[in-house]
Amino acid sequence: KAGVTQTPRYLIKTRGQQVTLSCSPISGHRSVSWYQQTPGQGLQFLFEYFSETQRNKGNFPGRFSGRQFSNSRSEMNVSTLELGDSALYLCASSLGVSGEQYFGPGTRLTVT
Amino acid sequence: GQQLNQSPQSMFIQEGEDVSMNCTSSSIFNTWLWYKQDPGEGPVLLIALYKAGELTSNGRLTAQFGITRKDSFLNISASIPSDVGIYFCAGQARLHGSGNTGKLIFGQGTTLQVKP
């Protein structure tokens, strides 16, 4: 069974631009969560989706948004990029709302 | 953001030695997960714990869900060079009055280096 896939793997953007990251969960998994990983803050929860509904949101500004499609694939969007948004963005999928989460390889976003 | 207290921050050990690391929290969790992350990759799930007091093994790895539900421990026996990496604990709680959540709260990580 294929694992969680994320595209693109690497991205370089300029301040003020916006970016969309994509995540395809493990087949059959209906829940997708997103995390931001930085050296200073570690792994921080962004949001989680289950059956196209956002169930929970982390403490991030409104510039961070996401959605989930009927096939469980998910996207997250960051608008008006800031230098501090440079991070590894990780997507994780799970069968149900809670329980084991399996991570993708991440998207490395660099904002210049 | 909210984080668990994970210790030690780093360890440099000799191949063949046993390793112990732990996580503590001021909050109760329903689930404890342990992950390993290699450079440039996403975290890989090692062990999942669902019940207070539960002790679970995965090869040379053993993890325990603390009785108070506020802590967890990971032991690695007879370490080998490929154990090198960053180990994270993660706790999963319950939303107040809304059932379970998938939100994971992570420790700061333990960096393990193994000398052959």
Side-chain angles (χ1 to χ4, degrees):
Chain A
K1 196 184 261 193
V4 178
T5 58
Q6 292 187 245
T7 56
R9 289 293 310 274
Y10 303 93
L11 209 46
I12 299 176
K13 289 286 188 179
T14 305
R15 264 182 304 177
Q17 288 185 314
Q18 75 163 22
V19 67
T20 299
L21 311 181
S22 182
C23 170
S24 292
I26 292 170
S27 178
H29 283 196
R30 295 171 62 193
S31 180
V32 172
S33 297
W34 288 88
Y35 297 85
Q36 181 197 64
Q37 186 175 28
T38 59
Q41 296 297 312
L43 281 145
Q44 298 292 321
F45 171 78
L46 280 158
F47 22 67
E48 67 169 307
Y49 290 89
F50 180 77
S51 292
E52 302 178 68
T53 301
Q54 186 180 87
R55 283 183 55 86
N56 201 357
K57 191 176 190 304
N59 190 24
F60 279 83
R63 301 184 296 107
F64 291 81
S65 62
R67 58 178 175 168
Q68 187 181 31
F69 302 96
S70 58
N71 61 359
S72 295
R73 194 177 67 83
S74 177
E75 288 181 349
M76 67 162 279
N77 184 278
V78 189
S79 62
T80 320
L81 284 165
E82 300 177 0
L83 294 178
D85 296 334
S86 294
L88 181 67
Y89 289 88
L90 292 158
C91 162
S93 79
S94 60
L95 208 53
V97 171
S98 60
E100 299 163 22
Q101 290 189 13
Y102 298 88
F103 283 84
T107 294
R108 171 73 62 186
L109 172 65
T110 302
V111 182
T112 62
Chain B
Q2 190 179 4
Q3 277 189 328
L4 303 173
N5 294 315
Q6 184 172 349
S7 64
Q9 253 188 318
S10 62
M11 302 182 76
F12 189 84
I13 61 169
Q14 197 79 30
E15 183 178 357
E17 288 183 352
D18 296 345
V19 171
S20 289
M21 58 191 81
N22 70 84
C23 272
T24 59
S25 168
S26 56
S27 306
I28 289 174
F29 290 110
N30 294 331
T31 303
W32 282 94
L33 304 173
W34 284 92
Y35 291 89
K36 177 175 182 270
Q37 187 175 27
D38 292 326
E41 299 296 328
V44 173
L45 181 64
L46 300 172
I47 291 180
L49 302 157
Y50 295 101
K51 274 171 50 176
E54 180 182 355
L55 188 71
T56 297
S57 292
N58 178 8
R60 295 177 295 106
L61 276 60
T62 302
Q64 183 160 27
F65 193 139
I67 288 290
T68 64
R69 295 170 63 194
K70 294 182 178 181
D71 57 4
S72 180
F73 305 85
L74 176 71
N75 295 315
I76 305 173
S77 63
S79 58
I80 58 178
S82 62
D83 290 334
V84 165
I86 304 178
Y87 292 80
F88 290 98
C89 61
Q92 197 174 61
R94 181 184 291 267
L95 281 172
H96 292 296
S98 303
N100 291 327
T101 175
K103 174 183 177 179
L104 294 178
I105 297 170
F106 283 86
Q108 305 96 320
T110 296
T111 301
L112 178 63
Q113 293 176 285
V114 179
K115 186 177 178 183

PDB file of all heavy atoms in Angstrom, chain A residues 44-60:
ATOM      1  N   GLN A  44       4.368  21.702  15.059  1.00  0.00           N
ATOM      2  CA  GLN A  44       3.177  22.391  15.532  1.00  0.00           C
ATOM      3  C   GLN A  44       1.981  22.020  14.652  1.00  0.00           C
ATOM      4  O   GLN A  44       2.077  22.037  13.423  1.00  0.00           O
ATOM      5  CB  GLN A  44       3.379  23.911  15.499  1.00  0.00           C
ATOM      6  CG  GLN A  44       4.497  24.419  16.408  1.00  0.00           C
ATOM      7  CD  GLN A  44       4.169  24.256  17.876  1.00  0.00           C
ATOM      8  OE1 GLN A  44       3.030  24.452  18.301  1.00  0.00           O
ATOM      9  NE2 GLN A  44       5.167  23.884  18.665  1.00  0.00           N
ATOM     10  N   PHE A  45       0.863  21.748  15.303  1.00  0.00           N
ATOM     11  CA  PHE A  45      -0.372  21.350  14.624  1.00  0.00           C
ATOM     12  C   PHE A  45      -0.997  22.547  13.909  1.00  0.00           C
ATOM     13  O   PHE A  45      -1.142  23.628  14.501  1.00  0.00           O
ATOM     14  CB  PHE A  45      -1.328  20.786  15.664  1.00  0.00           C
ATOM     15  CG  PHE A  45      -2.720  20.523  15.174  1.00  0.00           C
ATOM     16  CD1 PHE A  45      -3.013  19.400  14.427  1.00  0.00           C
ATOM     17  CD2 PHE A  45      -3.738  21.407  15.483  1.00  0.00           C
ATOM     18  CE1 PHE A  45      -4.304  19.153  13.991  1.00  0.00           C
ATOM     19  CE2 PHE A  45      -5.027  21.168  15.054  1.00  0.00           C
ATOM     20  CZ  PHE A  45      -5.316  20.037  14.310  1.00  0.00           C
ATOM     21  N   LEU A  46      -1.372  22.327  12.654  1.00  0.00           N
ATOM     22  CA  LEU A  46      -2.038  23.376  11.864  1.00  0.00           C
ATOM     23  C   LEU A  46      -3.547  23.156  11.837  1.00  0.00           C
ATOM     24  O   LEU A  46      -4.311  24.003  12.268  1.00  0.00           O
ATOM     25  CB  LEU A  46      -1.485  23.401  10.439  1.00  0.00           C
ATOM     26  CG  LEU A  46      -0.156  24.122  10.243  1.00  0.00           C
ATOM     27  CD1 LEU A  46       0.543  23.634   8.982  1.00  0.00           C
ATOM     28  CD2 LEU A  46      -0.378  25.623  10.186  1.00  0.00           C
ATOM     29  N   PHE A  47      -3.977  22.067  11.244  1.00  0.00           N
ATOM     30  CA  PHE A  47      -5.399  21.711  11.226  1.00  0.00           C
ATOM     31  C   PHE A  47      -5.582  20.246  10.862  1.00  0.00           C
ATOM     32  O   PHE A  47      -4.659  19.597  10.388  1.00  0.00           O
ATOM     33  CB  PHE A  47      -6.225  22.581  10.251  1.00  0.00           C
ATOM     34  CG  PHE A  47      -5.457  23.249   9.148  1.00  0.00           C
ATOM     35  CD1 PHE A  47      -4.855  22.511   8.147  1.00  0.00           C
ATOM     36  CD2 PHE A  47      -5.361  24.633   9.099  1.00  0.00           C
ATOM     37  CE1 PHE A  47      -4.150  23.129   7.124  1.00  0.00           C
ATOM     38  CE2 PHE A  47      -4.660  25.256   8.072  1.00  0.00           C
ATOM     39  CZ  PHE A  47      -4.056  24.509   7.099  1.00  0.00           C
ATOM     40  N   GLU A  48      -6.817  19.776  11.118  1.00  0.00           N
ATOM     41  CA  GLU A  48      -7.155  18.410  10.765  1.00  0.00           C
ATOM     42  C   GLU A  48      -8.498  18.373  10.057  1.00  0.00           C
ATOM     43  O   GLU A  48      -9.389  19.177  10.348  1.00  0.00           O
ATOM     44  CB  GLU A  48      -7.192  17.500  11.997  1.00  0.00           C
ATOM     45  CG  GLU A  48      -8.289  17.811  12.970  1.00  0.00           C
ATOM     46  CD  GLU A  48      -8.478  16.747  14.043  1.00  0.00           C
ATOM     47  OE1 GLU A  48      -8.629  15.571  13.692  1.00  0.00           O
ATOM     48  OE2 GLU A  48      -8.468  17.105  15.229  1.00  0.00           O
ATOM     49  N   TYR A  49      -8.606  17.446   9.119  1.00  0.00           N
ATOM     50  CA  TYR A  49      -9.827  17.268   8.341  1.00  0.00           C
ATOM     51  C   TYR A  49     -10.269  15.819   8.407  1.00  0.00           C
ATOM     52  O   TYR A  49      -9.444  14.895   8.414  1.00  0.00           O
ATOM     53  CB  TYR A  49      -9.598  17.666   6.880  1.00  0.00           C
ATOM     54  CG  TYR A  49      -9.425  19.143   6.706  1.00  0.00           C
ATOM     55  CD1 TYR A  49      -8.163  19.713   6.800  1.00  0.00           C
ATOM     56  CD2 TYR A  49     -10.517  19.968   6.487  1.00  0.00           C
ATOM     57  CE1 TYR A  49      -7.995  21.076   6.676  1.00  0.00           C
ATOM     58  CE2 TYR A  49     -10.359  21.339   6.352  1.00  0.00           C
ATOM     59  CZ  TYR A  49      -9.091  21.884   6.453  1.00  0.00           C
ATOM     60  OH  TYR A  49      -8.925  23.239   6.343  1.00  0.00           O
ATOM     61  N   PHE A  50     -11.572  15.653   8.453  1.00  0.00           N
ATOM     62  CA  PHE A  50     -12.159  14.319   8.390  1.00  0.00           C
ATOM     63  C   PHE A  50     -13.427  14.424   7.566  1.00  0.00           C
ATOM     64  O   PHE A  50     -14.294  15.249   7.873  1.00  0.00           O
ATOM     65  CB  PHE A  50     -12.471  13.789   9.784  1.00  0.00           C
ATOM     66  CG  PHE A  50     -13.068  12.414   9.797  1.00  0.00           C
ATOM     67  CD1 PHE A  50     -12.283  11.300   9.599  1.00  0.00           C
ATOM     68  CD2 PHE A  50     -14.437  12.239   9.995  1.00  0.00           C
ATOM     69  CE1 PHE A  50     -12.826  10.023   9.594  1.00  0.00           C
ATOM     70  CE2 PHE A  50     -14.982  10.974   9.994  1.00  0.00           C
ATOM     71  CZ  PHE A  50     -14.184   9.861   9.796  1.00  0.00           C
ATOM     72  N   SER A  51     -13.525  13.610   6.532  1.00  0.00           N
ATOM     73  CA  SER A  51     -14.686  13.634   5.640  1.00  0.00           C
ATOM     74  C   SER A  51     -15.025  15.051   5.197  1.00  0.00           C
ATOM     75  O   SER A  51     -16.168  15.505   5.324  1.00  0.00           O
ATOM     76  CB  SER A  51     -15.906  13.001   6.336  1.00  0.00           C
ATOM     77  OG  SER A  51     -15.700  11.628   6.516  1.00  0.00           O
ATOM     78  N   GLU A  52     -14.016  15.745   4.736  1.00  0.00           N
ATOM     79  CA  GLU A  52     -14.125  17.089   4.142  1.00  0.00           C
ATOM     80  C   GLU A  52     -14.455  18.189   5.145  1.00  0.00           C
ATOM     81  O   GLU A  52     -14.663  19.340   4.742  1.00  0.00           O
ATOM     82  CB  GLU A  52     -15.173  17.094   3.007  1.00  0.00           C
ATOM     83  CG  GLU A  52     -14.879  16.119   1.893  1.00  0.00           C
ATOM     84  CD  GLU A  52     -15.962  16.122   0.817  1.00  0.00           C
ATOM     85  OE1 GLU A  52     -16.085  17.133   0.109  1.00  0.00           O
ATOM     86  OE2 GLU A  52     -16.679  15.096   0.708  1.00  0.00           O
ATOM     87  N   THR A  53     -14.498  17.860   6.426  1.00  0.00           N
ATOM     88  CA  THR A  53     -14.825  18.862   7.445  1.00  0.00           C
ATOM     89  C   THR A  53     -13.598  19.153   8.306  1.00  0.00           C
ATOM     90  O   THR A  53     -12.902  18.230   8.738  1.00  0.00           O
ATOM     91  CB  THR A  53     -15.961  18.343   8.345  1.00  0.00           C
ATOM     92  OG1 THR A  53     -17.103  18.075   7.543  1.00  0.00           O
ATOM     93  CG2 THR A  53     -16.321  19.378   9.416  1.00  0.00           C
ATOM     94  N   GLN A  54     -13.347  20.425   8.548  1.00  0.00           N
ATOM     95  CA  GLN A  54     -12.254  20.780   9.451  1.00  0.00           C
ATOM     96  C   GLN A  54     -12.722  20.546  10.880  1.00  0.00           C
ATOM     97  O   GLN A  54     -13.672  21.174  11.355  1.00  0.00           O
ATOM     98  CB  GLN A  54     -11.856  22.251   9.271  1.00  0.00           C
ATOM     99  CG  GLN A  54     -10.612  22.632  10.082  1.00  0.00           C
ATOM    100  CD  GLN A  54     -10.211  24.088   9.896  1.00  0.00           C
ATOM    101  OE1 GLN A  54     -10.692  24.978  10.600  1.00  0.00           O
ATOM    102  NE2 GLN A  54      -9.332  24.335   8.948  1.00  0.00           N
ATOM    103  N   ARG A  55     -12.044  19.678  11.595  1.00  0.00           N
ATOM    104  CA  ARG A  55     -12.455  19.323  12.946  1.00  0.00           C
ATOM    105  C   ARG A  55     -11.723  20.123  14.006  1.00  0.00           C
ATOM    106  O   ARG A  55     -12.209  20.281  15.120  1.00  0.00           O
ATOM    107  CB  ARG A  55     -12.206  17.829  13.189  1.00  0.00           C
ATOM    108  CG  ARG A  55     -13.224  16.908  12.568  1.00  0.00           C
ATOM    109  CD  ARG A  55     -12.924  15.470  12.934  1.00  0.00           C
ATOM    110  NE  ARG A  55     -12.830  15.256  14.375  1.00  0.00           N
ATOM    111  CZ  ARG A  55     -13.871  15.000  15.154  1.00  0.00           C
ATOM    112  NH1 ARG A  55     -15.080  14.944  14.635  1.00  0.00           N
ATOM    113  NH2 ARG A  55     -13.707  14.798  16.452  1.00  0.00           N
ATOM    114  N   ASN A  56     -10.546  20.571  13.672  1.00  0.00           N
ATOM    115  CA  ASN A  56      -9.736  21.229  14.686  1.00  0.00           C
ATOM    116  C   ASN A  56      -8.718  22.112  13.982  1.00  0.00           C
ATOM    117  O   ASN A  56      -8.266  21.792  12.868  1.00  0.00           O
ATOM    118  CB  ASN A  56      -9.026  20.167  15.540  1.00  0.00           C
ATOM    119  CG  ASN A  56      -8.594  20.689  16.894  1.00  0.00           C
ATOM    120  OD1 ASN A  56      -8.766  21.861  17.218  1.00  0.00           O
ATOM    121  ND2 ASN A  56      -8.023  19.802  17.698  1.00  0.00           N
ATOM    122  N   LYS A  57      -8.374  23.209  14.622  1.00  0.00           N
ATOM    123  CA  LYS A  57      -7.425  24.142  14.023  1.00  0.00           C
ATOM    124  C   LYS A  57      -6.412  24.563  15.076  1.00  0.00           C
ATOM    125  O   LYS A  57      -6.780  24.806  16.236  1.00  0.00           O
ATOM    126  CB  LYS A  57      -8.175  25.360  13.487  1.00  0.00           C
ATOM    127  CG  LYS A  57      -7.347  26.283  12.614  1.00  0.00           C
ATOM    128  CD  LYS A  57      -8.207  27.404  12.051  1.00  0.00           C
ATOM    129  CE  LYS A  57      -7.501  28.209  10.979  1.00  0.00           C
ATOM    130  NZ  LYS A  57      -6.227  28.797  11.357  1.00  0.00           N
ATOM    131  N   GLY A  58      -5.165  24.669  14.668  1.00  0.00           N
ATOM    132  CA  GLY A  58      -4.115  25.102  15.577  1.00  0.00           C
ATOM    133  C   GLY A  58      -4.059  26.608  15.673  1.00  0.00           C
ATOM    134  O   GLY A  58      -4.846  27.336  15.066  1.00  0.00           O
ATOM    135  N   ASN A  59      -3.089  27.085  16.434  1.00  0.00           N
ATOM    136  CA  ASN A  59      -2.966  28.502  16.710  1.00  0.00           C
ATOM    137  C   ASN A  59      -2.101  29.195  15.657  1.00  0.00           C
ATOM    138  O   ASN A  59      -0.983  29.623  15.933  1.00  0.00           O
ATOM    139  CB  ASN A  59      -2.375  28.691  18.107  1.00  0.00           C
ATOM    140  CG  ASN A  59      -2.444  30.129  18.561  1.00  0.00           C
ATOM    141  OD1 ASN A  59      -3.275  30.893  18.089  1.00  0.00           O
ATOM    142  ND2 ASN A  59      -1.564  30.503  19.461  1.00  0.00           N
ATOM    143  N   PHE A  60      -2.614  29.279  14.467  1.00  0.00           N
ATOM    144  CA  PHE A  60      -1.922  29.929  13.353  1.00  0.00           C
ATOM    145  C   PHE A  60      -2.820  31.019  12.789  1.00  0.00           C
ATOM    146  O   PHE A  60      -4.039  30.940  12.893  1.00  0.00           O
ATOM    147  CB  PHE A  60      -1.599  28.903  12.249  1.00  0.00           C
ATOM    148  CG  PHE A  60      -0.369  28.087  12.552  1.00  0.00           C
ATOM    149  CD1 PHE A  60      -0.437  26.972  13.362  1.00  0.00           C
ATOM    150  CD2 PHE A  60       0.862  28.444  12.010  1.00  0.00           C
ATOM    151  CE1 PHE A  60       0.690  26.219  13.652  1.00  0.00           C
ATOM    152  CE2 PHE A  60       1.994  27.694  12.284  1.00  0.00           C
ATOM    153  CZ  PHE A  60       1.902  26.586  13.113  1.00  0.00           C
TER     154      PHE A  60
END
